[in-house]
Amino acid sequence: MPYIGPLTPSRRALLLLRELELPHPSVRLLLNGDEEIGSPASRPHIERLSEDVSATLVFEAAQDGALKTARKGVGLFEVTAHGVESHAGLDPYAGASAIHALAEVVPAIVALGSHEHGTTVNVGVISGGTGRNVVAARARCGIDIRIAEPAEMARIDAALNALAPSDPRVRLTVGGEWNRPPMVAHEASVALFARAAAIAAEQGWELRETAVGGASDGNFVSALGRPVLDGLGAVGSGAHARHEHTLLDQLPARTALTVGLLNALAADGG
């Protein structure tokens, strides 16, 4: 019994299977409205509904037509510096600048990135202070961390909690969490992709796979060791940009692939 997502190829594939009277397994269809903000409410439902299925098919957009068999995990953190406020002209040495301390540790945060391990760190937002003539009492930065290897979570956690500015009067706090674990190409998912690639070949085209830095709800399923295929949805480009678009002429092939995959899963008794 596979679980499939909501986009056009999935719905059309189900209609075609019924119209053509082809064998197909029973399907659980999950419509998720909070994926873009990290799936805080839907995650437990995703994990529960994928527990006893033969495959999870995620209809996120394809990457230049390729299925996504690996995705990075995402950590969303913030580091806040708590300093001592004072007048920058009248009493500058009485203060301990949270901004200066944060500027001191930001390079150490960025240095946690590792090309070797596929870890990237981006400090994307920084704010603090109340005026140019005030030694800042508070400053914060927002951090986006992407990891390809699950073991990197422990290393990053330890490093963030060990950050310390040179001025002992400034205190640092770390907030946030790991939003999604990495989606890795484990044995069950590798076998599922091989089946999908064979079906595409029978239909006369080559199906490719790729690893991407973005995350999806497939990450949750993969982390539990369950078979998952991602990127079965529309083909296009310009994700999250004004020129984002879908290539309509590619939809029939995506639908045919889904029909073939569901038919094959039915033959397995899925």
Side-chain angles (χ1 to χ4, degrees):
M1 178 189 299
Y3 148 77
I4 65 175
L7 297 185
T8 300
S10 64
R11 293 186 293 196
R12 184 57 184 160
L14 291 175
L15 290 173
L16 283 173
L17 284 164
R18 291 175 180 176
E19 290 173 3
L20 298 173
E21 298 183 348
L22 293 174
H24 61 85
S26 59
V27 170
R28 291 174 182 166
L29 180 64
L30 176 62
L31 306 177
N32 181 7
D34 67 349
E35 191 272 344
E36 284 293 342
I37 61 171
S39 304
S42 59
R43 177 176 183 173
H45 301 289
I46 294 166
E47 293 175 338
R48 174 177 55 85
L49 291 173
S50 67
E51 183 175 2
D52 59 350
V53 302
S54 57
T56 294
L57 309 181
V58 182
F59 286 83
E60 282 268 351
Q63 180 73 21
D64 296 325
L67 295 191
K68 300 167 183 177
T69 53
R71 286 181 176 270
K72 289 189 177 182
V74 179
L76 304 175
F77 297 94
E78 66 176 33
V79 173
T80 303
H82 308 268
V84 179
E85 197 170 51
S86 72
H87 194 293
L90 296 176
D91 205 6
Y93 301 110
S97 174
I99 290 177
H100 295 180
L102 192 63
E104 183 181 349
V105 300
V106 162
I109 295 171
V110 176
L112 295 175
S114 169
H115 185 74
E116 176 186 359
H117 296 287
T119 299
T120 61
V121 178
N122 180 62
V123 178
V125 178
I126 192 164
S127 62
T130 57
R132 69 178 65 195
N133 64 337
V134 181
V135 176
R138 187 176 185 275
R140 63 169 292 276
C141 66
I143 310 163
D144 179 290
I145 302 177
R146 309 279 170 141
I147 58 170
E149 301 174 4
E152 284 287 86
M153 287 190 281
R155 181 182 73 85
I156 296 292
D157 286 342
L160 289 178
N161 287 309
L163 291 171
S166 59
D167 191 330
R169 296 176 296 170
V170 180
R171 177 175 57 91
L172 297 182
T173 58
V174 179
E177 62 182 357
W178 291 101
N179 178 256
R180 285 185 174 89
M183 186 176 91
V184 298
H186 51 65
E187 184 177 353
S189 293
V190 168
L192 186 59
F193 173 78
R195 166 158 279 190
I199 291 168
E202 292 173 0
Q203 295 174 354
W205 58 287
E206 180 185 3
L207 181 64
R208 297 173 293 105
E209 62 179 316
T210 189
V212 297
S216 82
D217 290 335
N219 290 52
F220 300 134
V221 179
S222 175
L224 296 171
R226 300 167 185 169
V228 57
L229 276 185
D230 202 337
L232 282 157
V235 179
S237 65
H240 290 199
R242 291 185 180 275
H243 64 280
E244 182 174 4
H245 63 277
T246 294
L247 300 175
L248 297 180
D249 62 353
Q250 297 296 311
L251 289 176
R254 312 305 286 187
T255 302
L257 175 63
T258 305
V259 168
L261 189 53
L262 290 173
N263 183 244
L265 291 171
D268 294 340

